[in-house]
Amino acid sequence: MCDGMKDWWKEATVYQIYPRSFADTNGDGIGDIRGIISRLDYIKRLGADVIWLCPVYKSPDVDNGYDVSDYRSIDKKFGSMADFDTLLREVHKRKMRLIMDAVFNHTSDRHGWFIESRKSMDNKYRDYYFWRSGKNGREPNNWISFFGGSAWEYDEGTGQYYFHLFSKEQPDLNWANADVRNEIHSVMRWWLDKGIDGFRFDTINHISKIPGFPDAKPLRGQKRIDWGRYYKNGPKVHFYLNEMNRKVLSKYDIMSVGETAATLEDIRATKLYVDRRRHELDMVFHENNEIRSEGGRPKASNPLDERYNTFKWRLGDLKRNFTAWQTALGKECWDSVYLGNHDYPRMVSHFGDDGKYRVESAKMLATMLFTLRGTPYIYQGDEIGMTNAGFGSIKDYADVWAINMYNEYTAGHKGGGGHALKILREISRDNARTPMQWNAGKNAGFGSGKPWIKINPNYGRINVESALRDRDSIFYYYKRLIKLRKEHGVMVYGRYRQILKGHPDIYAYTRSLNGDELLVLLNFTAKNTNYKLPRALENKEMEFFVGNYTKSKSRNVLRPYEAIVRSISQRRS
Ligand code: ISL
Ligand code: CA
């Protein structure tokens, strides 16, 4: 048996909402909680079971809400706590669940704890953060921030530096301090006691720092520094999470998912977070959608975060990556499956074809999303095939990372603006943050006021209203997949086995559970593509299960971006 234990969150489909870009009801150009309430029936109609809400807490918005200044309040731009309570009630009324983003690696520099902390060396809150003296008139060590520049910021008041993995307005919390952990637990209980159904833990594999903050150096014989060795999976991370599980999570019937960017080399270390015998998290986002392939890497941007340097990917790497995780996690661990979120380009633009084959390729990718082993996550707008923003001017960008990267690059390269923009057009996080396209009317039906970020000009063609009118739309294909997954345990719990491993254009695998077996074939190219099934499958009787073209043409050819799932009869034909 490979299904392990059954759990509601394994069978659920999650829909991720980026609130500021979802629906605006008061015309200030920013999506709000009432907007979400007004669209709950839409999400229900799709068939999703769980809503993951990106941060709506009070925040100065340096990083769009991932810089929290008060964990127990709703930011005014999103509404009030009463609005939130209504949202939760309305979600539950529709038999759906709601999980919140938990941003505890850092706070905003405007959070009360940090305001206190920076006042003096002996302030009660000093040790809530990492304060260190400089070395020889420089930063305490050579670590750099994910958002560019040093990870240390000098603070005049006390003449010391504080540590920030992200922007300087996001100081890292010191989890080694038990008071910090207790505060975090109490914030979590406060929300759970309201009745929310779980958390998505932001950047959780970074919470434990190496004591002493040693300078980072390349390993012997290597040129580049492997920053992950210093930043990820710190020595006490599992202790902290196990404690959090024991004291808080285990007391509620909820789900937990941690964000833990990881490479293939990290699989063993990452499994530890989700091995159910260890009592930490239910699943993680290991960012296996972030396929790194050599080549096509411009000499730009932050050397620390290579994902920003890489915008070419190869199917061979995608297959190897997904197969490695799918097989390594095994029966004691569960996975999350996603191909994009608010930190990545749109999945159809990145992995599919957002031109001629937009509809076919979006459906093909959806087929993958719902037939791999793990809980599927839909990012708002992907269910109608929304595409990258493709902004032409730096003025259109809002993301702190995009702007920092642009400034850093243009400062170092005279006339490099065009190149920096080219990179941003491919990979900027703003690509997936443009307002949700509800209809072909004013502001795409997002709201009456000018939106905080530009609307994708293709909203006349790509929008919810037209998707709901068209029985062949991407929307209805998602709906069908969600429904099928509810009816067929094999899609949820079935064992994964890759086939056609060496095929350059097709990703294919089987799923099997107690005599039920599915064959999944995905063509990642815009051409007709031949394949030959392995002997063991060749002679089996098969029936059409689901696919993005009507009925398959031939048993050995896939049409452009065709996805086909067949159910395999155990009898030989
Ligand atoms: O760690 C990384 C690379 O090794 C990053 O990919 C990191 O995991 C990611 O940037 C974290 O993202 C999350 O936290 C950020 C926020 O800007 C993102 O929107 C959020 O998803 C800081 O809170
Ligand atoms: Ca609003």
Side-chain angles (χ1 to χ4, degrees):
M1 274 276 282
C2 128
D3 52 349
M5 292 243 307
K6 289 195 164 188
D7 287 291
W8 64 262
W9 41 266
K10 294 179 179 163
E11 296 171 19
T13 293
V14 183
Y15 188 88
Q16 180 191 353
I17 292 184
Y18 197 64
R20 82 191 52 228
S21 301
F22 197 59
D24 170 25
T25 53
N26 64 350
D28 66 352
I30 302 172
D32 43 53
I33 292 178
R34 288 176 169 277
I36 300 171
I37 298 171
S38 73
R39 299 294 181 173
L40 287 179
D41 288 333
Y42 166 74
I43 301 168
K44 182 69 190 176
R45 181 159 177 191
L46 180 63
D49 308 280
V50 177
I51 291 173
W52 151 26
L53 199 60
C54 283
V56 286
Y57 314 100
K58 191 163 182 224
S59 165
D61 263 354
V62 169
D63 187 20
N64 284 4
Y66 282 94
D67 46 326
V68 180
S69 55
D70 182 356
Y71 291 108
R72 289 186 178 83
S73 72
I74 299 292
D75 199 287
K76 274 211 228 48
K77 65 184 162 287
F78 294 126
S80 64
M81 192 57 81
D83 292 338
F84 177 84
D85 293 338
T86 309
L87 170 65
L88 186 57
R89 226 178 20 248
E90 292 294 322
V91 167
H92 287 160
K93 227 201 252 162
R94 288 168 178 79
K95 304 262 177 307
M96 296 191 285
R97 291 177 159 102
L98 182 77
I99 68 170
M100 303 278 285
D101 224 299
V103 192
F104 295 129
N105 174 69
H106 44 265
T107 66
S108 157
D109 62 346
R110 311 266 278 279
H111 191 289
W113 302 335
F114 191 74
I115 294 175
E116 282 300 310
S117 183
R118 82 194 314 172
K119 279 185 180 161
S120 69
M121 310 264 264
D122 54 10
N123 186 283
K124 170 167 176 272
Y125 290 91
R126 188 69 170 178
D127 194 41
Y128 270 45
Y129 299 86
F130 298 102
W131 289 97
R132 297 288 184 276
S133 298
K135 271 198 189 140
N136 312 321
R138 294 208 49 163
E139 293 84 9
N141 74 9
N142 66 349
W143 294 17
I144 51 183
S145 145
F146 289 126
F147 290 169
S150 169
W152 296 94
E153 180 71 9
Y154 183 70
D155 196 49
E156 298 239 306
T158 53
Q160 282 197 314
Y161 293 81
Y162 66 86
F163 182 75
H164 61 92
L165 266 180
F166 294 90
S167 78
K168 65 180 181 356
E169 294 86 359
Q170 291 165 295
D172 282 48
L173 279 168
N174 176 13
W175 280 65
N177 179 343
D179 291 340
V180 169
R181 303 202 302 277
N182 288 334
E183 299 256 24
I184 291 169
H185 298 161
S186 106
V187 169
M188 288 170 58
R189 282 190 204 99
W190 191 83
W191 285 100
L192 290 167
D193 291 341
K194 265 186 177 292
I196 69 160
D197 303 289
F199 290 110
R200 174 264 187 192
F201 291 97
D202 190 57
T203 197
I204 200 71
N205 56 342
H206 293 119
I207 56 175
S208 167
K209 319 294 186 223
I210 303 178
F213 288 98
D215 268 325
K217 307 196 258 292
L219 285 178
R220 248 214 283 178
Q222 281 179 8
K223 278 212 198 88
R224 295 218 309 268
I225 296 177
D226 175 6
W227 291 95
R229 282 169 46 90
Y230 297 90
Y231 290 14
K232 277 191 272 204
N233 310 325
K236 300 204 77 179
V237 67
H238 296 294
F239 169 78
Y240 298 150
L241 291 180
N242 177 267
E243 175 191 58
M244 183 172 92
N245 184 298
R246 191 163 26 87
K247 293 190 172 170
V248 189
L249 299 178
S250 62
K251 313 271 192 224
Y252 302 81
D253 175 25
I254 53 166
M255 62 171 270
S256 58
V257 49
E259 183 200 25
T260 60
T263 61
L264 276 183
E265 295 75 53
D266 295 327
I267 293 189
R268 269 229 227 122
T270 306
K271 263 179 86 165
L272 301 177
Y273 292 89
V274 293
D275 185 325
R276 41 183 290 270
R277 293 163 299 194
R278 299 169 50 87
H279 305 286
E280 295 184 20
L281 301 171
D282 293 330
M283 55 192 137
V284 293
F285 297 127
H286 39 75
E287 309 206 336
N288 63 2
N289 62 324
E290 178 196 313
I291 311 304
R292 295 156 198 253
S293 301
E294 293 302 321
R297 180 176 290 166
K299 298 175 278 317
S301 99
N302 183 347
L304 172 56
D305 200 336
E306 298 201 334
R307 112 178 153 209
Y308 299 133
N309 290 346
T310 308
F311 50 85
K312 286 237 164 63
W313 62 277
R314 280 195 289 262
L315 186 63
D317 293 322
L318 180 145
K319 289 168 63 164
R320 195 152 37 86
N321 209 321
F322 274 87
T323 298
W325 286 98
Q326 289 277 306
T327 25
L329 288 184
K331 91 170 200 267
E332 302 296 347
C333 308
W334 192 247
D335 206 358
S336 65
V337 187
Y338 66 105
L339 288 166
N341 60 33
H342 65 293
D343 289 338
Y344 290 97
R346 282 286 175 185
M347 77 183 205
V348 70
S349 301
H350 192 65
F351 293 111
D353 170 359
D354 62 10
K356 184 167 175 206
Y357 292 111
R358 185 184 65 89
V359 173
E360 289 81 359
S361 65
K363 290 180 180 174
M364 183 277 287
L365 294 167
T367 312
M368 175 175 162
L369 197 61
F370 287 93
T371 55
L372 286 170
R373 183 174 177 273
T375 300
Y377 286 74
I378 303 170
Y379 178 61
Q380 70 181 42
D382 282 346
E383 77 281 11
I384 55 165
M386 279 179 62
T387 65
N388 277 353
F391 292 147
S393 151
I394 189 64
K395 291 204 197 73
D396 295 334
Y397 287 91
D399 179 17
V400 56
W401 169 78
I403 294 161
N404 286 357
M405 180 262 165
Y406 181 89
N407 290 339
E408 217 171 73
Y409 190 77
T410 46
H413 302 78
K414 252 195 156 183
H419 185 65
L421 278 175
K422 179 168 174 263
I423 299 171
L424 289 179
R425 258 200 302 278
E426 297 270 357
I427 56 168
S428 153
R429 308 195 298 179
D430 284 333
N431 273 319
R433 296 178 177 185
T434 60
M436 183 74 184
Q437 296 163 203
W438 294 103
N439 59 42
K442 187 181 173 208
N443 296 330
F446 170 70
S448 60
K450 184 169 181 259
W452 69 278
I453 192 168
K454 270 195 174 167
I455 297 175
N456 193 311
N458 62 21
Y459 71 93
R461 203 160 40 86
I462 302 171
N463 62 66
V464 168
E465 213 174 270
S466 62
L468 292 179
R469 264 201 311 264
D470 170 10
R471 295 311 300 180
D472 273 339
S473 68
I474 301 167
F475 177 90
Y476 288 115
Y477 191 72
Y478 268 80
K479 187 174 160 79
R480 186 142 137 243
L481 287 166
I482 295 173
K483 183 153 176 281
L484 283 171
R485 195 169 171 278
K486 287 209 190 312
E487 296 163 351
H488 298 270
V490 60
M491 288 173 79
V492 180
Y493 296 109
R495 180 200 180 99
Y496 168 96
R497 203 162 55 86
Q498 184 181 207
I499 58 165
L500 307 182
K501 189 172 164 216
H503 201 295
D505 301 321
I506 292 177
Y507 181 26
Y509 44 91
T510 58
R511 301 287 308 282
S512 51
L513 180 74
N514 305 330
D516 283 337
E517 191 166 9
L518 296 177
L519 165 68
V520 182
L521 294 157
L522 310 168
N523 180 6
F524 273 77
T525 70
K527 20 175 236 248
N528 286 320
T529 304
N530 293 306
Y531 64 94
K532 189 168 171 358
L533 288 180
R535 270 271 158 78
L537 289 174
E538 218 181 2
N539 300 319
K540 292 213 167 153
E541 218 173 89
M542 300 194 198
E543 259 173 53
F544 180 85
F545 186 76
V546 70
N548 60 352
Y549 282 76
T550 41
K551 289 278 154 61
S552 135
K553 199 166 86 187
S554 138
R555 232 171 124 129
N556 301 91
V557 186
L558 291 181
R559 286 161 282 185
Y561 291 102
E562 180 164 4
I564 179 156
V565 183
R566 296 198 180 105
S567 72
I568 304 175
S569 157
Q570 294 315 308
R571 280 177 295 128
R572 300 205 149 244
S573 58

